[in-house]
Amino acid sequence: MSSLFRGEEMQLCQIYFKSEVAYSCVSQLGEMGIVQFKDLNENVNAFQRKFVNEVRRCEEIERKLRYIEKEAVKEEVELDEADQTCDAPKPKDMITLEVMSNSKKIFFIKNFFAKIDQLEHDLVEVNTNKDALRKNYLELIELKHILVKATQFFEEADNFSIYNRPETHEYETEDEHVTLLMSERNRSPFAIGFLAGIMNRDKVSSFELMLWRFCRGNVFLKTADLTELVEDVTTNTLQAKTVFIIFFQGEQLKNKCKKICDGFKATIYPCPETLKERREMLNGVSMRLDELKTVLDQSLNLRRSILVNAAQSIKTWFAQVHKMKAIYHTLNMFSHDQKSIIAECWAPKSEINRIREILDLETKKIDMNFQTIVHFITSKEAPPTFNRVDKFTSGFQNIVNAYGVPSYREINPTPFYAITFPFLFGVMFGDAGHGLLMLLAAGYLIKKENYLKKAIKGNEIFELFFGGRYIMFLMAVFSIYAGFLYNDFFSKSTNIFGSKWKVTLGKDFPFEDIQQFTLNPDPYANETYKMYSGTPYPFGIDPVWQLATNKITFTNGLKMKFSVIIGIMQMVFGLVIGLKNHLFFRRKISILFEFIPQIIFISLIFVYLCLMIFIKWIKYAGTDDKLTGACAPNILLELINMFFLKDGTVTVVDGEKKYDECKRLYPGQHHIQMVFVIVAVLCVPVMLFTKPLLKLREHNKRTKYGSRFRGHVNPLSVNGHSSDEDDKHDKAERMGHTSNSVINLEDDAELENEEHFEFGEVFVEQTIHTIEYFLGCVSHTASYLRLWALSLAHAELSEVLWTMLFKMGLNMAPPVGAFVMFFIFSAWGVITIGILCVMEGLSAFLHALRLHWVEFQSKFYKGEGYEFMPFSFEKILNEAELAE
């Protein structure tokens, strides 16, 4: 919790590795995920770094693994989950080792990378053979269909020619079984040829028209549609095909027909002229199909077995390659010499001992005589901000980081967000029924989080809602709480504890003659007119206000005042957090001449405003004739009179002053308010001028007495730091700060080291800050009225929706009304969820976000840091998984 409240203290370290152990040490640091390395080779091109070939090798293995994974998905092979705890491969796994046996034969030891290379090679070879076999198989199927259809056509033609042949003379010796083509060839000097092929059915009509036009009607086309779908050779999709035979005379027409077939992507197959040859070819094709089917099935089984074996480890292989690639990317950031590697990194101070233990353990595994050295160095560079978060606080931390990452060691607003953010949302959204719907949705996301984390991967909208499931849960809880305070449950009040109001009039009272009836608020009236019990409703607003005609007037005044009180409380709390920052960083000037004027100003004006609200609530009631609610002063007018130094109890009538003591909140109110305003106004110049002038004085003092020491280098100092820098760091240590905290002590004259100082810049910055604060107190207080405005809008929309829909259905006759109510309830449910829960919830969320970013955080939060980005295998693998 302390790390979440204020970022951990960071240390800049310099690590000296031996070249042989650098890889394993970086691997272990990646498993720990608590070190952020600095790039010491920023000016070196990425292609000129030492381990660029190793990175390319990892990328090549990644490509091969993606190919294997793609084939496994295509084969519908289930992939096993990755083992996130697997170790990164060793550097020697990137090469294939050759070992000489006693028999002088060289054989290979297959390591990690060699195994993937061999697997990819086998899969490519199997796929190539499978594709070739499948192509031959599909071509033979098409050829078989062509032979069957051609045989049917020629048999029909032969039967027709025999049936219609004229009577022969006795001296004719021709064979009566000569085919049509044979007879035509014998009778004509031009032989009749034909082409047989297959094509898509939807191109047949265009194909026939093209043949007729280009060949000028000198060809004959015969087509036959296949009754079953045939898989296409090129696209591997089932298509409707048509077998065609083209008859022609001469080579010229033959060439034209071939070109037209090529244009329509029709496939031409050889087809014998005689029936005997066609039958022999058909038998041969059938036998070849059976053989190819057997071989193809074996090839597919082999391919599947390879993919099934690979599927058990492919995700783990991906994780190992990602780790190895990340290690070499990190090693490219280090400084190298012949024997050692130097790295610089940021690490939490609390983890330094654990880092040393891990590095020593890994070093001794390889070289017992060498020790990895971890050296602390000082730097003017601002350390990164490291706040430890979990799945509950990560959503709130993301909201804070969206505004700005906390500065180093600055108080992190996230713990306060966890309460104030959903509370302000509930104040604006306040309806117990709508909050219950949101609670059910958030509860489902939390209960099924392990399943949904994988199911919604890639869907940005659902990932956004899923990431904020705990925020949504707390917002729903506070909405239900505020709903009970407002006594709103789907815009209707609930009488849980029993109303403290009742009508005691007799039955003979003429209620039908009056439109409005005012309840007597006097709890001491006689039994006939006593309508208020004298004790308030135990929790929230009494349900009797649901029936009152002045309900909006009452709830508006109540919610408006509560909004102002809540807003001023949160702003004062922000100033108190700012004081904690000043105390931690020892900013004496900021405490005396910034925080104190700020807290005095807001207390004398706005905290006093809250005090007047409470006095009015306590002092005025409806039971005393002298101090009734009618004579109670208007708080807004009292605040205006306070600024103009006017007495609100004095009114001028016909030139005479009259005093209305009823409007005086307490004795001496006017004089006290005058003192408050004068003191508050004096706070402005104190905050505006004092801090810049003190900074100028301290700067002049350092310039006068410190110039002779500047530039003197202590020969014993580390990295050439000057002696005055060393003295400054020693002084910081004595004051209870670490050397890395010095950069944040900008307001402490004894520790700040501002080489460049411009009084004009400092004064302008302080002027802007002063104007922003004092004017912001007024505007920010008014801005918190959005709590009242959105609460009113949400309640009225809910009530209007209920009145417009349910009242219409309830006023209908029973048979029709019961049927219509089904559709009315459906419409009401859709509008309630879509508009009142989703859209109104989003609106309340954005307004709560604005109140925190602008009104709350402006009192203490700078947000000028940068996030700690450790070298972590867990984070790298998660990012790789999301990218896929």
Side-chain angles (χ1 to χ4, degrees), residues 9 34 80 168 174 199 239 245 249 252 314 409 424-425 450 459 502 519 553 581 606 660 667 688 756 791 822 866 879:
E9 192 172 356
I34 54 174
D80 293 348
T168 58
E174 292 182 354
M199 66 184 303
Q239 296 179 358
I245 302 178
Q249 281 186 329
Q252 187 175 3
I314 189 168
R409 302 291 284 163
L424 293 186
F425 175 88
N450 293 329
N459 192 319
K502 61 180 179 179
L519 297 180
T553 305
N581 277 331
F606 297 98
D660 188 0
L688 177 61
H756 174 73
S791 175
F822 174 79
Y866 64 98
E879 291 177 353

Side-chain angles (χ1 to χ4, degrees), residues 339-375:
K339 295 183 178 180
S340 62
I341 297 177
I342 303 173
E344 288 187 7
C345 62
W346 290 105
K349 253 197 165 182
S350 58
E351 300 286 350
I352 295 296
N353 292 333
R354 194 156 70 100
I355 293 173
R356 280 177 169 163
E357 292 175 1
I358 292 296
L359 294 179
D360 291 341
L361 182 63
E362 288 299 315
T363 303
K364 290 179 180 178
K365 288 181 180 179
I366 299 176
D367 190 348
M368 294 293 295
N369 299 322
F370 187 82
Q371 182 179 7
T372 300
I373 301 173
V374 180
H375 173 63

Side-chain angles (χ1 to χ4, degrees), residues 46-96:
F47 300 101
Q48 297 176 345
R49 303 198 179 192
K50 185 172 182 179
F51 298 100
V52 63
N53 292 328
E54 285 80 357
V55 173
R56 289 176 177 173
R57 176 62 172 153
C58 292
E59 291 175 347
E60 176 66 15
I61 294 297
E62 282 182 345
R63 182 195 63 78
K64 293 181 179 181
L65 288 175
R66 283 194 295 269
Y67 170 74
I68 298 172
E69 183 184 29
K70 181 181 177 182
E71 293 297 317
V73 172
K74 189 186 300 182
E75 193 68 22
E76 297 182 353
V77 176
E78 186 177 356
L79 304 177
D80 293 348
E81 291 296 326
D83 181 12
Q84 302 286 354
T85 60
C86 61
D87 295 330
K90 301 300 180 183
K92 64 181 181 180
D93 289 336
M94 301 191 73
I95 58 176
T96 303

Side-chain angles (χ1 to χ4, degrees), residues 357-400:
E357 292 175 1
I358 292 296
L359 294 179
D360 291 341
L361 182 63
E362 288 299 315
T363 303
K364 290 179 180 178
K365 288 181 180 179
I366 299 176
D367 190 348
M368 294 293 295
N369 299 322
F370 187 82
Q371 182 179 7
T372 300
I373 301 173
V374 180
H375 173 63
F376 295 165
I377 59 177
T378 57
S379 173
K380 294 181 181 179
E381 180 185 356
T385 300
F386 180 36
N387 298 109
R388 298 183 188 269
V389 296
D390 52 22
K391 62 182 180 180
F392 175 77
T393 57
S394 61
F396 296 102
Q397 187 66 57
N398 290 334
I399 295 177
V400 174

Side-chain angles (χ1 to χ4, degrees), residues 666-719:
Y666 56 88
Q669 176 185 356
H670 175 59
H671 298 90
I672 293 176
Q673 290 179 169
M674 289 179 61
V675 174
F676 283 178
V677 171
I678 293 173
V679 174
V681 171
L682 290 177
C683 291
V684 177
V686 171
M687 182 176 174
L688 177 61
F689 296 108
T690 308
K691 187 175 178 180
L693 292 175
L694 288 176
K695 281 191 172 184
L696 178 62
R697 189 190 71 174
E698 295 298 330
H699 173 72
N700 293 334
K701 185 185 297 184
R702 289 196 308 273
T703 304
K704 181 178 180 180
Y705 297 105
S707 59
R708 55 179 176 175
F709 299 106
R710 188 173 295 117
H712 174 70
V713 179
N714 186 351
L716 299 178
S717 62
V718 181
N719 295 333

Side-chain angles (χ1 to χ4, degrees), residues 48 52 99 118 213-214 362 506 530 586 590 709 711 879:
Q48 297 176 345
V52 63
V99 180
Q118 185 63 40
R213 288 182 177 179
F214 273 80
E362 288 299 315
K530 184 179 180 181
R586 301 185 184 274
S590 295
F709 299 106
E879 291 177 353

